[in-house]
Amino acid sequence: MRIAELLARGRTFSFEFFPPKTDEAQAQLANTITELAPLKPSFFSVTYGAGGSTRTRTRDVVVELARSGVVPPMAHLTCVGHTRDDINLLLGEYKAAGVENILALGGDLPSDPSLAGPSDFHHALDLVEHLREHFDMSIGVAAHPEVHPRSPSRESDRYHLAEKLRRADFAMTQFFFEVQHYERLRDELAALGVHKPIVPGIMPVTNKGQIVKMAQMSGAAIPQWLSDRLAPLEDAADVRRVGVEVATTLGADLLAAGAPGLHFYTLNRSTATREIYANLGLGG
Ligand code: FAD
C-alpha cells in the first residue's frame, strides 16, 4: 500500500523503528512490533544508519515487514555514501519484496567519514529525481520545522524543501515540541505554492539526557517551559509521564491544526507510544 494513497484517503498514523544491532535488540523490536500492530497503524518506517552503515540490517527489517503483510513499511534511504549502482541494487531488492514507500534523505556522514563510500547523489532532491525516473514508488522527504542545521537561512531552507516536495508525494518532519513550528512550516510552504501533505514527527521524551543530545543533533529547540518541567524530575517514571503528557497535548494540537497524520519516533519501544495513542483516542 502506498503512503500517497493512504494520505489521500485520510489521516495516517505511523511508527518509526531503527534496525537492531544485536539479537537482544532484535527480540525487543519484534516484541514492539507485535505490541504496536494491533493499533492498526497506516505504516511502519525503518531508519537507515548514517552513510549506509545499517544497509543490510535496514533492508532485512523492511523486507521482513513487507513479507509479513500486516503493516506496510517505508524504507529510509540516504544519498551519503551511495553510488547510483548501490541505490539501484537496494531499490531492486525492495521492489522485488513488494516495498512501495521510500523516505528519500540527504543523510549525514558517519562519525568516521572515512567509513562512507563515494556519493553519486548530494541532496535529497537528486535521489527523489532518480527514484521518480527509474522506480515507481511513493516518495517522502524530510522537513525541518525549525530549519535544518546546515541551512544558511530560513528562506534557503524553505526554498530547497519546496523544490524537493514539489517532486515528492509528502514530507515527514523532524521532531519539535510546539505546534506553532508546524503551522509556520506549512504556511511558508503554502506561500511557495506547495500544498503536499506534511506529516509531523512526534518524539515522546522518555529520557532527559537522550532528548537533549537528539535535539542538539537535529536542530530542534527544547522550549524553556519543557526544560523547567523536566529539570526537577529525578525518577525515570516521572520523566516518562511528563513526556507522554507533553506528546499527547502536541498530538492533539497538531490534529486540531489540520495535520494529515502523526508519525511517532518509538526508539523501538512501544509503551510511551501506546499511551499517547490511547490518550488521543486512536487505533484499536
Ligand atoms: P537535503 O534535502 O539534501 O537538505 C540538506 C541541506 O542541504 C539543507 O540545509 C538544505 O536546505 C540544503 N540543500 C538542499 N538542496 C540543496 C541545493 N541544491 N543546494 C544547496 N543546498 C541545498 N538520517 C539518516 O542518516 N538516516 C535516517 O533514517 C534518517 N531519517 C530521517 C527521518 C526524518 C523524518 C528526518 C526529518 C530526518 C532523518 N534523517 C535521517 C536525518 C537527515 O538525513 C539529515 O537531517 C540530513 O542532514 C539532511 O537530510 P535531508 O533529507 O533534509 O537533506
Side-chain angles (χ1 to χ4, degrees):
M1 181 56 83
R2 291 176 186 230
I3 294 170
E5 287 166 25
L6 293 169
L7 282 163
R9 284 187 202 170
R11 293 196 297 213
T12 61
F13 297 94
S14 47
F15 303 132
E16 180 170 309
F17 308 123
F18 59 85
K21 265 192 193 142
T22 62
D23 289 350
E24 195 188 346
Q26 174 83 42
Q28 167 70 48
L29 176 60
N31 189 41
T32 295
I33 290 173
T34 304
E35 286 174 347
L36 290 177
L39 301 181
K40 300 191 171 58
S42 314
F43 61 94
F44 287 145
S45 89
V46 186
T47 64
Y48 200 68
S53 52
T54 65
R55 193 175 306 188
T56 50
R57 282 188 279 126
T58 296
R59 181 205 58 201
D60 291 349
V61 176
V62 170
V63 165
E64 182 51 36
L65 286 170
R67 287 221 177 94
S68 72
V70 180
V71 176
M74 172 171 76
H76 296 210
L77 183 57
T78 63
C79 298
V80 171
H82 291 75
T83 62
R84 192 174 297 266
D85 287 347
D86 293 333
I87 298 279
N88 289 345
L89 184 67
L90 193 50
L91 266 292
E93 290 177 310
Y94 283 148
K95 280 301 274 185
V99 178
E100 296 188 285
N101 305 293
I102 299 288
L103 189 67
L105 298 152
D108 296 312
L109 279 170
S111 46
D112 178 355
S114 68
L115 295 178
S119 311
D120 280 347
F121 303 103
H122 296 288
H123 295 289
L125 173 61
D126 306 331
L127 185 52
V128 172
E129 287 183 332
H130 182 73
L131 292 172
R132 273 279 174 258
E133 198 176 333
H134 301 285
F135 296 90
D136 177 23
M137 289 176 148
S138 188
I139 306 171
V141 291
H144 304 269
E146 295 173 81
V147 174
H148 188 275
R150 286 202 301 274
S151 292
S153 67
R154 193 169 188 97
E155 289 68 33
S156 158
D157 187 279
R158 296 319 189 225
Y159 171 82
H160 291 299
L161 173 57
E163 284 292 292
K164 68 178 175 181
L165 194 43
R166 278 191 192 100
R167 291 161 177 81
D169 294 310
F170 62 95
M172 186 154 277
T173 79
Q174 190 51 271
F175 71 87
F176 57 94
F177 293 104
E178 292 178 311
V179 69
Q180 294 87 329
H181 292 304
Y182 176 79
E183 293 173 316
R184 187 171 173 195
L185 168 70
R186 187 186 54 191
D187 294 348
E188 287 167 342
L189 285 167
L192 293 170
V194 178
H195 303 275
K196 298 264 174 80
I198 305 166
V199 180
I202 294 188
M203 173 81 77
V205 179
T206 51
N207 176 308
K208 284 202 274 186
Q210 187 184 45
I211 199 72
V212 168
K213 205 169 137 206
M214 291 171 108
Q216 274 165 358
M217 278 164 51
S218 69
I222 301 185
Q224 193 58 47
W225 59 262
L226 182 53
S227 297
D228 291 346
R229 281 197 71 183
L230 294 171
L233 307 178
E234 303 283 352
D235 194 284
D238 289 335
V239 172
R240 215 179 55 80
R241 182 179 43 75
V242 168
V244 166
E245 204 180 300
V246 167
T248 300
T249 304
L250 179 60
D253 288 350
L254 285 163
L255 293 177
L262 299 175
H263 183 67
F264 293 90
Y265 295 104
T266 69
L267 302 179
N268 291 9
R269 305 271 161 176
S270 74
T271 316
T273 309
R274 280 189 288 132
E275 285 175 22
I276 299 161
Y277 225 64
N279 292 346
L280 290 170
L282 302 170

